[in-house]
Amino acid sequence: MKLFSQYKGLRRANYILFIGRIVTNMGAMIWPMLTLILNKKIGFNATETALFTICSGILFLPANLLGGHVADRFNKKRVIIYCDIVSIALFVISGFLPLSIFSICVLLVGAFFQTLEGPAYQALVADITPAEKREKAFSLLYLGANIGLILSPTLAGLLFNNYLWLCFVISGLSISVSTVLIGLFVKDEKLDEAPTEDVEESADDGLNIWSIIRNSGALIAFIISLAFYQGAYSQFGYLMPLDIAKAFPEKGSVIYGTITSVNCFLVVLFTPIITMVFEKVDLTKKFALGVILQAISFAAFLMSFGIIGGYYISIALFTFGEILTTIMMGAFLAERVPESHRGRIFGATNFAGAFMQGITQFGSGRMFDAFGPAYAWAFSIAMTMVAVIAALMLVYLDKKEFSQLYVQAD
């Protein structure tokens, strides 16, 4: 069946990373609930929650850039393993500490090292995968991440009131399984590719990453669109739970947990389908359609306050947009940036997205406290529309700038 056979032909390491993602995210119980922990357990209001998230996010910003440089300078596999070891220890320790701002900060230091390894992980996938298979490889990795996430948010919602500490411990232990798999079965080795296969091979290795970005209108448009898209995307873990908790004070955590699980279930069900159906569609057009769907989903969330069915319709629209954008990002960047700079371009895009997340959360948090959820969602829609405009510009600029990629695709 083509739906599943499309993932055949990848290297063994791709399938190991796929399994590792499943296991890791089966234990990823804290992050979907972090806003509710700060809001319901610690007692922060929406603005305070946003400020705490922004302050921690500011500390994470250097991790994205530093992680990109480290990924390009050192063995990516070792970077991932060393960062994982630190994260595992801190996640488990935070679970046995009394719940407080201090224990949350211990958790966030562990998350800092997860952020630090992010560019190495993304660049490793690009390095071990042939150019023509990269979109499938990133699609498979994304699929594995969401297979693991199907049950974890719902379980976290059930543990939230009385056994929250278990979520911290399970998160750390699940990462350890992935770390062992990567350590035993994944090699950090670059493929020998013909110079004509990728634009990446013809780029000047002497340029720094900022020069590469500055000289490419398509990359600038992509980074702007992606930053605003990811800034708005963060509302999935920030504004959405605040909205639901306000509408359903007693059972908000359980409802939000099930909505998160629906998101993951839809990703698992539709990622292979969307990957196959849109296989021949240009990467930039997939991205533009995904961003447009995000804007529509936010409008649906705005109109769904207190309507549980509306939340599920909105999350479905959100998920289809998420799938389209996520499966193309890694392949898009890997084909347009030199191999020697892959870690840094992933770090730079992660930095831009994290920066805009802070702005979006702060703005929507102020709107939420001052005027209510509707104004907060309207602010988020405005942020997404910037991403839509930049994505539409990208469709034109990329085809003009990287015309040889489109000739090969034809």
Side-chain angles (χ1 to χ4, degrees):
M1 186 176 181
K2 190 178 179 181
L3 192 62
F4 300 105
S5 64
Q6 64 180 318
Y7 295 113
K8 290 177 61 177
L10 295 172
R11 304 183 73 198
R12 183 181 72 164
N14 291 115
Y15 301 120
I16 295 298
L17 292 172
F18 166 70
I19 295 170
R21 271 288 189 241
I22 293 174
V23 177
T24 296
N25 283 10
M26 283 177 67
M29 299 180 182
I30 291 299
W31 309 117
M33 294 292 161
L34 186 58
T35 295
L36 289 177
I37 292 171
L38 295 172
N39 184 240
K40 295 296 184 181
K41 296 287 189 179
I42 306 296
F44 286 1
N45 61 27
T47 301
E48 291 168 340
T49 300
L51 284 172
F52 183 87
T53 305
I54 291 167
C55 289
S56 60
I58 290 173
L59 296 177
F60 284 5
L61 288 177
N64 290 297
L65 296 179
L66 178 60
H69 282 279
V70 169
D72 288 334
R73 295 287 187 269
F74 302 101
N75 182 282
K76 298 177 181 65
K77 172 180 170 179
R78 291 178 183 172
V79 170
I80 293 168
I81 291 174
Y82 293 154
C83 288
D84 276 352
I85 290 172
V86 177
S87 297
I88 292 163
L90 293 175
F91 283 8
V92 173
I93 289 171
S94 66
F96 289 102
L97 293 172
L99 184 62
S100 64
I101 291 298
F102 177 74
S103 65
I104 296 297
C105 287
V106 172
L107 178 80
L108 291 175
V109 175
F112 177 90
F113 284 89
Q114 289 288 289
T115 303
L116 187 67
E117 77 171 43
Y121 206 105
Q122 293 168 298
L124 179 62
V125 176
D127 283 354
I128 66 174
T129 310
E132 69 277 7
K133 291 283 188 178
R134 283 189 188 129
E135 188 176 359
K136 295 296 191 336
F138 281 101
S139 171
L140 183 66
L141 201 65
Y142 173 60
L143 181 63
N146 284 274
I147 289 174
L149 283 172
I150 287 178
L151 292 179
S152 61
T154 298
L155 182 57
L158 295 173
L159 295 174
F160 183 82
N161 289 327
N162 300 312
Y163 299 99
L164 184 60
W165 66 273
L166 265 178
C167 296
F168 292 77
V169 176
I170 293 172
S171 293
L173 295 178
S174 63
I175 295 173
S176 65
V177 177
S178 174
T179 306
V180 170
L181 289 173
I182 291 173
L184 292 177
F185 301 110
V186 176
K187 294 182 180 180
D188 185 1
E189 54 185 7
K190 300 177 179 66
L191 296 177
D192 293 326
E193 298 181 87
T196 55
E197 285 191 12
D198 273 308
V199 173
E200 69 198 33
E201 301 297 336
S202 63
D204 184 358
D205 248 14
L207 291 175
N208 64 49
I209 191 61
W210 305 114
S211 297
I212 293 172
I213 294 171
R214 188 169 58 248
N215 293 328
S216 172
L219 285 176
I220 291 173
F222 178 74
I223 291 173
I224 291 173
S225 183
L226 181 63
F228 277 86
Y229 165 81
Q230 290 184 333
Y233 179 90
S234 68
Q235 301 294 42
F236 178 61
Y238 173 69
L239 180 57
M240 196 186 306
L242 288 176
D243 180 295
I244 295 170
K246 187 176 181 68
F248 304 95
E250 298 300 322
K251 53 182 180 177
S253 62
V254 175
I255 294 173
Y256 175 65
T258 59
I259 288 173
T260 304
S261 292
V262 167
N263 166 255
C264 299
F265 175 78
L266 291 176
V267 167
V268 171
L269 183 63
F270 284 98
T271 293
I273 297 172
I274 289 177
T275 300
M276 183 179 68
V277 171
F278 286 84
E279 183 176 10
K280 302 299 183 182
V281 177
D282 296 341
L283 295 177
T284 55
K285 291 179 181 178
K286 292 177 192 176
F287 182 69
L289 179 57
V291 175
I292 290 169
L293 283 173
Q294 184 194 59
I296 295 172
S297 74
F298 281 5
F301 276 117
L302 186 154
M303 297 183 290
S304 298
F305 182 77
I307 305 171
I308 295 179
Y311 289 135
Y312 289 108
I313 294 172
S314 303
I315 200 63
L317 293 168
F318 179 91
T319 302
F320 296 143
E322 177 188 356
I323 294 171
L324 284 166
T325 55
T326 304
I327 63 175
M328 61 74 62
M329 290 179 193
F332 177 88
L333 291 172
E335 290 175 357
R336 288 156 180 81
V337 174
E339 176 275 319
S340 59
H341 291 69
R342 279 181 189 152
R344 277 165 282 185
I345 190 61
F346 285 121
T349 53
N350 292 346
F351 176 92
F355 179 79
M356 289 307 303
Q357 286 174 17
I359 293 176
T360 305
Q361 290 178 6
F362 179 75
S364 61
R366 293 294 297 270
M367 292 285 187
F368 187 94
D369 283 336
F371 306 109
Y375 285 86
W377 281 116
F379 174 81
S380 303
I381 293 169
M383 299 292 281
T384 307
M385 291 309 300
V386 176
V388 170
I389 294 170
L392 294 175
M393 292 176 60
L394 172 65
V395 173
Y396 168 76
L397 291 172
D398 191 71
K399 194 160 190 176
K400 180 179 179 182
E401 185 175 340
F402 296 100
S403 57
Q404 62 268 51
L405 290 176
Y406 291 84
V407 171
Q408 292 172 19
D410 295 337

